[in-house]
């Protein structure tokens, strides 16, 4: 059952990630100096799958051995790199999405609901839910970065375990990850 849950969650996370940023077709390009990124640029985004150490994951309450690579181009430029981990009690999966898409893309996306402007550390942020998700099951905390943005998604595995607002959990993990992610 856990494998089926993972496959579903992985597909939902990938689809939601695309929806959350209003994915459009990409064009090649590299970010340089002070050039502002646009949501359609493909750059070499931060790789949470390889750059976040196991010790950090453990310190913030995730089981490093549960890593699931959702999307990670073998090398070079890409608009998305996405990895997920579970809490040790296997109640919540936390997905870190690194993208060249921007916070403005997320703000403009009609597939996102319950949008709330906020901050994560010193960064502008947006908290939202995907309208295709079961209400209360998952929440995104998206915050700006020079490369575009980072999105931290938290999602429950089983409805019986929903003991806390999933957006609070997403915000807590976003705050824990933020100092370890590139500005």
């Amino acid at each position: 059952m856990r494998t089926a849950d993972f496959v579903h969650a992985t597909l939902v996370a990938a689809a939601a990630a695309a929806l959350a940023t209003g994915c459009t077709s990409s064009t090649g390009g590299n970010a340089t100096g002070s050039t502002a990124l646009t949501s359609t640029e493909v750059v070499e985004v931060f790789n949470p799958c390889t750059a976040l150490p196991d010790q950090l994951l453990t310190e913030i309450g995730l089981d490093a051995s549960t890593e699931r690579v959702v999307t990670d181009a073998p090398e070079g430029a890409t608009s998305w790199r996405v990895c997920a981990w579970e809490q040790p009690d296997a109640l919540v999966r936390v997905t870190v999405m690194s993208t060249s898409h921007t916070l403005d893309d997320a703000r403009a996306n009609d597939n996102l609901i319950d949008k709330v402007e906020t901050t994560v550390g010193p960064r502008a942020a947006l908290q939202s839910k995907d309208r295709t998700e079961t209400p209360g099951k998952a929440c995104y905390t998206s915050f700006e970065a020079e490369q575009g943005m980072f999105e931290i998604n938290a999602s429950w595995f089983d409805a019986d375990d929903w003991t806390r607002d999933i957006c609070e959990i997403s915000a807590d993990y976003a705050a824990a990850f933020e100092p370890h992610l590139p500005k």
Side-chain angles (χ1 to χ4, degrees):
M1 182 68 171
R2 203 48 96 197
T3 301
D5 288 343
F6 172 73
V7 170
H8 180 285
T10 300
L11 293 173
V12 168
L19 293 171
T21 58
C23 248
T24 60
S25 61
S26 302
T27 59
N30 294 316
T32 58
S34 61
T35 304
L37 288 177
T38 67
S39 63
T40 58
E41 286 187 272
V42 177
V43 299
E44 190 155 348
V45 297
F46 176 83
N47 191 336
C49 307
T50 59
L52 294 173
D54 289 354
Q55 180 181 352
L56 169 66
L57 296 168
T58 301
E59 287 173 5
I60 65 173
L62 296 173
D63 180 350
S65 71
T66 64
E67 178 180 288
R68 299 290 188 253
V69 177
V70 178
T71 183
D72 182 10
E75 61 183 52
T78 183
S79 59
W80 287 100
R81 292 195 195 291
V82 181
C83 278
W85 298 269
E86 295 175 19
Q87 291 179 330
D89 58 11
L91 295 177
V92 173
R93 173 173 290 114
V94 176
T95 305
V96 178
M97 300 174 216
S98 175
T99 182
S100 61
H101 296 280
T102 68
L103 203 53
D104 284 340
D105 291 334
R107 286 181 181 118
N109 190 329
D110 292 335
N111 289 316
L112 296 179
I113 59 173
D114 301 332
K115 298 175 192 174
V116 176
E117 293 290 334
T118 187
T119 58
V120 175
R123 306 187 207 202
L126 179 73
Q127 200 163 61
S128 62
K129 297 173 184 167
D130 185 326
R131 76 173 61 250
T132 65
E133 278 285 341
T134 302
K137 180 176 173 69
C139 186
Y140 292 87
T141 302
S142 309
F143 54 94
E144 63 185 7
E146 287 178 15
Q147 70 175 28
M149 75 175 159
F150 290 103
E151 295 190 301
I152 309 302
N153 172 266
S155 60
W156 291 107
F157 281 109
D158 298 312
D160 293 341
D161 297 325
W162 297 7
T163 58
R164 188 172 163 214
D165 181 349
I166 196 67
C167 286
E168 289 177 14
I169 295 170
S170 175
D172 288 348
Y173 279 106
F177 276 116
E178 187 276 331
H180 305 281
L181 298 173
K183 298 300 179 201

